[in-house]
Amino acid sequence: MSSATAPPLPDLADLIRRSARLAEVPGLTEQALVWHQEATGRRRSIAIEAVDLATPRVWPDTLASLASTLWRATTAAAPDAPFRLLAAAAASVGLRVEPPNASAATIERAQRLVRAGGPAYVKLGQFIATAEGLLPDEWVHAFSWCRDEAPPLDEGVARGVVERELGPIDEIFSSFDAEPLAAGSIGQVHRARLVDGTEVVVKVRRPGLRRRFRADLETMAIVTATAERLHAGARAANVTGFVELFAQLSLEELDFRLEASNMLDIAAVLARTDQRAIIVPRPHPTLVTRRVMVMERLSGFSFDDVEGMRAAGIDTAALLRAGLISFLEGALLYGVFHGDLHGGNLFVLPDGRTALLDFGITGRLDDSQRLAFL
């Protein structure tokens, strides 16, 4: 394999221009090309910022966050809880970290830290919760609540964010449900209807999230640097490298313009490969900002409702096979794939197509990475 070469990556911008599904929404192809072009620069800036955040330094705000973390670790968990949590999260993405102790006491201390911590700690818990096969089952099951138990924003907060980002809400929507469909660590989703009658969902980012993430990430950098001084295992595993990766993924997820670009890149790949069993909701071309994204509404069966799907005549084996093929084609041929693939980010339409949701984390492979994957 050392002499093999990967086939060149197709031009995603060209695939966007050719996509009939994107062309069905007036103005979406043109806006998709803008998002696609701007995304490269945004990802580059975020990568630089992630390196900066992963470099341990003590600033006044970092010092306050560090003191707060150490206080939570001491009172809610244990002094070694931050490192245990980071080690588990690093193992969850495949880094060669020795699987953390699966004792009930260790896991309970890490859970208490996540519950007492900020949004970055909940995100670490989500990484752990999706790491079946990479972490002991005790860790995976213990953190499953991180995917499902994010508290909703106080009433009226989401509406206020939408109005600040898009303008007077009554001029854009004929209805906007105050009760969220779902709430996560980054934001929450509301049903709405545009003034032209189009049924949509509105994704709203939690206010103040970027500042809180930065403070948490800078604290994690100090914790890992200290751990690497004290533990040979931490140095060998390069947990500091994980903090940098985690920082980059988290900051990308906070910008819904990048998520919209990710959605449309993968939608264009699905169109090019004639993969009709998988569908991506299309964002509205003029109603996406860093903090708000309006997209078409899709609905169907929960991905774990196997009995319901079978009762409706859906071939669940064909559904799974189509998902595997689309993932492998996207990664190996086009270098792009959904990076947070779990049941909570999938549902099945009544016609048997699988809808992919939440593209905040999207994997991208260069030629050498595609060849290694192959």
Side-chain angles (χ1 to χ4, degrees), residues 29-253:
T29 298
E30 295 76 11
Q31 185 58 52
L33 290 168
V34 172
W35 284 329
H36 177 77
Q37 182 179 20
E38 293 176 345
T40 301
R42 288 185 179 130
R43 292 191 192 98
R44 189 181 301 116
S45 297
I46 286 173
I48 294 170
E49 184 179 5
V51 172
D52 186 56
L53 290 173
T55 303
R57 280 172 296 195
V58 178
W59 300 104
D61 57 341
T62 307
L63 189 61
S65 179
L66 178 61
S68 175
T69 297
L70 293 177
W71 175 253
R72 290 194 300 266
T74 302
T75 58
D80 67 340
F83 175 67
R84 297 296 179 193
L85 181 66
L86 282 164
S92 76
V93 298
L95 293 183
R96 284 181 285 182
V97 181
E98 182 179 349
N101 188 315
S103 72
T106 298
I107 294 172
E108 175 60 23
R109 288 195 295 268
Q111 283 196 89
R112 288 203 299 267
L113 177 59
V114 171
R115 291 186 186 277
Y121 294 92
V122 176
K123 182 58 65 178
L124 288 175
Q126 291 174 350
F127 274 47
I128 294 168
T130 57
E132 288 186 83
L134 291 169
L135 285 172
D137 289 344
E138 294 88 345
W139 277 89
V140 174
H141 297 154
F143 283 89
S144 61
W145 62 270
C146 292
R147 295 204 306 258
D148 309 318
E149 294 185 16
L153 294 168
D154 291 339
E155 186 174 352
V157 172
R159 185 183 179 98
V161 173
V162 173
E163 292 203 315
R164 285 193 297 274
E165 293 292 307
L166 301 180
I169 205 165
D170 293 335
E171 295 180 9
I172 302 168
F173 305 101
S174 60
S175 66
F176 183 92
D177 286 3
E179 189 74 19
L181 274 172
S185 60
I186 300 297
Q188 62 189 40
V189 177
H190 294 255
R191 287 191 186 93
R193 182 181 293 110
L194 298 177
V195 291
D196 66 4
T198 303
E199 303 283 348
V200 295
V201 293
V202 183
K203 187 173 182 178
V204 183
R205 198 179 87 186
R206 293 178 180 274
L209 204 57
R210 204 172 194 281
R211 175 183 52 79
R212 294 174 65 195
F213 257 99
R214 282 186 59 93
D216 285 347
L217 291 165
E218 289 174 331
T219 303
M220 289 177 189
I222 295 173
V223 169
T224 54
T226 304
E228 288 182 349
R229 283 180 175 272
L230 300 176
H231 301 286
R235 288 193 297 275
N238 188 22
V239 181
T240 296
F242 167 73
V243 172
E244 181 182 324
L245 171 65
F246 179 65
Q248 182 173 347
L249 294 175
S250 298
L251 294 177
E252 286 187 11
E253 199 170 359

Side-chain angles (χ1 to χ4, degrees), residues 233-296:
R235 288 193 297 275
N238 188 22
V239 181
T240 296
F242 167 73
V243 172
E244 181 182 324
L245 171 65
F246 179 65
Q248 182 173 347
L249 294 175
S250 298
L251 294 177
E252 286 187 11
E253 199 170 359
L254 296 181
D255 191 335
F256 290 167
R257 298 168 301 178
L258 282 176
E259 181 172 356
S261 179
N262 291 335
M263 294 167 69
L264 297 178
D265 284 355
I266 290 182
V269 167
L270 292 171
R272 178 67 182 86
T273 56
D274 199 29
Q275 176 57 275
R276 302 181 185 183
I278 313 291
I279 188 170
V280 175
R282 293 166 293 195
H284 193 285
T286 64
L287 299 178
V288 176
T289 71
R290 183 178 298 179
R291 298 175 181 84
V292 172
M293 176 164 57
V294 178
M295 68 192 99
E296 67 179 319

